[in-house]
Amino acid sequence: MLPVAQLFARDVPLLRAPEDTDADLLQVLWCPFDHPDHPTTATYWRSSPAISNTLSSPPAPDALQFPGYLPDPCLLTPEEVTEYPNPLELSTDDQQQLKDAARWRQAGPGWDEAYAPAADEFYRNQLSTSPGWKAGGWTRWGLTDPKPRRCSTCGSDMYPLLTIASLEWSSATASWIPIEDQATVAPSLYSQPSNPTLLDLARGYDLQLYMCPVSAEHPHLELIQ
């Protein structure tokens, strides 16, 4: 198993531990082989004061199926953003309103007239589910329609824990580029800074992890979108 992410609750306000633990540290690992179409993950909730021995660098893997399954070590700078549900989670009436360019023009200077022929794409790319790695947030649907995410042990509705992304942004979601990176955007979207971890999952999609709110011992859910 390879280390993928280590998050402290003090750094990520939306990081939510299950009810049966007061842990403040989330560690995510995965097997760098397809099972069957993405790496199988493991989640560990720990109490940071109880950790005494730490590694200065992650151990090198003995073998891996794809280079894109080996994360390039990097530090995170968490940033809180506002995002909205994927259009597939909205009512039919709301989806129809998103297609009305006249309504968007009334919203002010934030509207991009280039989206006029397909105004709903403005919502999808600029306001809906933020791209990139994130804790919590809305689900990026597309490969499938929205579906229930319930715990296989107790039946509770699971909550979004972590999104592991191939890219922090794409050409369609450039408005999400952090201000500090806008002047250094690389020509290739598959190089830094849009892909600091150098991961490539399922042809550029995201691996989303969901957690049971009741117990850390209940299995988490993995979803590719």
Side-chain angles (χ1 to χ4, degrees):
M1 302 290 280
L2 299 182
V4 178
Q6 177 170 274
L7 303 177
F8 290 88
R10 64 174 182 264
D11 299 324
V12 185
L14 291 181
L15 190 63
R16 174 184 169 192
E19 296 172 356
D20 65 345
T21 178
D22 58 357
D24 64 340
L25 172 63
L26 171 67
Q27 294 176 324
V28 179
L29 295 85
W30 70 24
C31 174
F33 288 83
D34 280 345
H35 299 272
D37 57 356
H38 59 75
T40 293
T41 57
T43 57
Y44 297 93
W45 290 96
R46 307 180 67 184
S47 176
S48 58
I51 300 174
S52 56
N53 297 323
T54 60
L55 299 176
S56 58
S57 60
D62 295 327
L64 66 159
Q65 186 170 359
F66 303 112
Y69 284 176
L70 177 62
D72 194 48
C74 58
L75 296 176
L76 301 177
T77 305
E79 179 181 7
E80 190 170 356
V81 300
T82 299
E83 62 172 3
Y84 296 92
N86 183 284
L88 293 174
E89 297 200 56
L90 301 178
S91 68
T92 301
D93 181 63
D94 286 340
Q95 292 183 42
Q96 286 300 120
Q97 291 187 48
L98 292 178
K99 297 178 181 181
D100 187 351
R103 284 180 173 269
W104 285 111
R105 293 187 183 100
Q106 296 174 9
W111 161 252
D112 185 347
E113 191 63 28
Y115 281 98
D120 54 330
E121 290 300 306
F122 176 78
Y123 175 85
R124 182 186 300 275
N125 294 338
Q126 311 297 332
L127 299 174
S128 183
T129 53
S130 62
W133 289 62
K134 63 185 177 183
W138 292 97
T139 300
R140 170 188 165 178
W141 300 107
L143 287 181
T144 68
D145 288 340
K147 57 184 179 182
R149 287 135 290 163
R150 296 192 175 94
C151 177
S152 60
T153 300
C154 68
S156 298
D157 289 333
M158 306 183 82
Y159 63 89
L161 176 68
L162 179 69
T163 296
I164 301 171
S166 296
L167 292 174
E168 289 301 297
W169 62 81
S170 68
S171 57
T173 57
S175 65
W176 291 98
I177 300 175
I179 294 176
E180 60 270 22
D181 289 328
Q182 291 180 2
T184 58
V185 173
S188 171
L189 289 173
Y190 285 91
S191 61
Q192 296 191 15
S194 63
N195 187 14
T197 60
L198 300 182
L199 293 181
D200 185 11
L201 296 171
R203 304 177 307 281
Y205 287 100
D206 297 344
L207 176 59
Q208 299 172 325
L209 307 184
Y210 296 83
M211 204 78 193
C212 174
V214 176
S215 176
E217 298 300 321
H218 292 179
H220 64 281
L221 173 69
E222 301 168 344
L223 180 66
I224 282 283
Q225 287 292 331

